[in-house]
Amino acid sequence: MNISGKNIGFALTGSFCTFERAFQQMEQLVSLGANVLPIFSYSPQEMECRFGSYETFLTKAETIAKRKPILTLAQAEPIGPKGMIDLLLIAPCTGNTMSKLSHAITDTPVLLAAKSQLRTEKPVVLSISSNDNLGLNFKNLGLLYSTKHIFFVPFGQDDSETKPNSLVAHMDLIVPTIELALEEKQIQPVLLA
C-alpha cells in the first residue's frame, strides 16, 4: 500500500542510541508523502544523554514533521477517537514500553496513543530495541506478537556475544512493514540475522 497521504504517528521512547536511525526513517516517511505526527514518551522529553539533549530531539522531530510533537497524556488521548492517524509506529520501542503495553499500562503519551489506536482497531507497528528482549521481556514480546493489530519491524540479535538477550529492529524495514501493516499483514520474515 502506498503511504503517500497517510497519517502516521511516529512515537519515540528511550533507547537513545537508535534515535539517529529513527529520525532518518521519519525523514523517509515524510519524503514519501506521509503526514507524520511525532509523539514522545517522557524520557526523551526530559533527559540529557551522550546521544543528544531532549531539546535537540524535540526540535528535530518538529523540523522533520513540520508540526509540534504530542508530549502529554491529554494530547495523546484523542488519537483513536478522533481518527487522527492511520497507523502508529513506535520506533524505538524499548523493553519498558513493550512490557507496559503488553500489560495495558498507559502512563506515557506513547502508551496512551497505542491504547487509543488499538481501541479503534487500527495498526500499531513496533520497532523494538532492548537489551532484555530475550530475557524477562521475552514473554511480553510473545504476548504482543500474538495481539491483533500489532505488527513488528523485523528484528534480530545485534550482539549475541556481549549482549545475548538484546534484540534490535532493522529500522531500514520500517517503510515496507508499515505498507503491509496498513493492510493488516505482518511482513515476513520477522526474525533476521
Side-chain angles (χ1 to χ4, degrees):
M1 175 176 284
N2 189 331
I3 63 171
S4 180
K6 295 293 182 185
N7 297 311
I8 308 291
F10 198 118
L12 294 104
T13 66
S15 192
F16 303 111
C17 61
T18 62
F19 269 34
E20 190 54 42
R21 284 181 284 148
F23 284 126
Q24 289 169 1
Q25 293 303 309
M26 188 183 289
E27 288 172 337
Q28 183 176 9
L29 289 170
V30 169
S31 75
L32 292 171
N35 304 309
V36 172
L37 174 60
I39 306 163
F40 279 85
S41 191
Y42 292 129
S43 294
Q45 291 183 50
E46 306 166 339
M47 293 181 66
E48 302 280 340
C49 67
R50 64 187 170 136
F51 300 102
S53 72
Y54 65 92
E55 293 163 331
T56 303
F57 301 144
L58 295 173
T59 300
K60 189 158 192 169
E62 186 174 342
T63 300
I64 294 168
K66 296 178 179 55
R67 60 199 299 188
K68 290 198 174 295
I70 287 182
L71 304 175
T72 68
L73 293 172
Q75 292 170 330
E77 191 279 330
I79 284 176
K82 289 190 175 180
M84 293 170 64
I85 56 176
D86 299 303
L87 176 143
L88 175 67
L89 167 68
I90 305 178
C93 180
T94 62
N96 186 51
T97 297
M98 194 172 67
S99 176
K100 288 180 176 186
L101 181 59
S102 73
H103 289 87
I105 298 169
T106 55
D107 61 355
T108 72
V110 169
L111 289 163
L112 189 54
K115 177 186 175 189
S116 185
Q117 184 76 348
L118 289 170
R119 79 178 185 190
T120 57
E121 299 186 336
K122 290 186 178 174
V124 173
V125 172
L126 306 180
S127 178
I128 62 173
S129 178
S130 173
N131 289 326
D132 188 45
N133 278 331
L134 290 175
L136 288 174
N137 238 333
F138 192 58
K139 62 184 172 219
N140 299 315
L141 180 112
L143 182 61
L144 290 171
Y145 190 81
S146 63
T147 300
K148 193 173 182 179
H149 308 297
I150 292 182
F151 304 92
F152 283 81
V153 176
F155 55 83
Q157 289 180 280
D158 58 317
D159 185 352
S160 61
E161 301 243 342
T162 60
K163 300 186 299 182
N165 289 337
S166 180
L167 290 176
V168 176
H170 290 253
M171 285 193 177
D172 58 313
L173 295 175
I174 282 176
V175 171
T177 302
I178 287 174
E179 290 171 338
L180 285 172
L182 285 164
E183 298 175 12
E184 290 290 325
K185 295 177 185 171
Q186 172 63 58
I187 192 171
Q188 296 292 341
V190 177
L191 298 175
L192 299 176

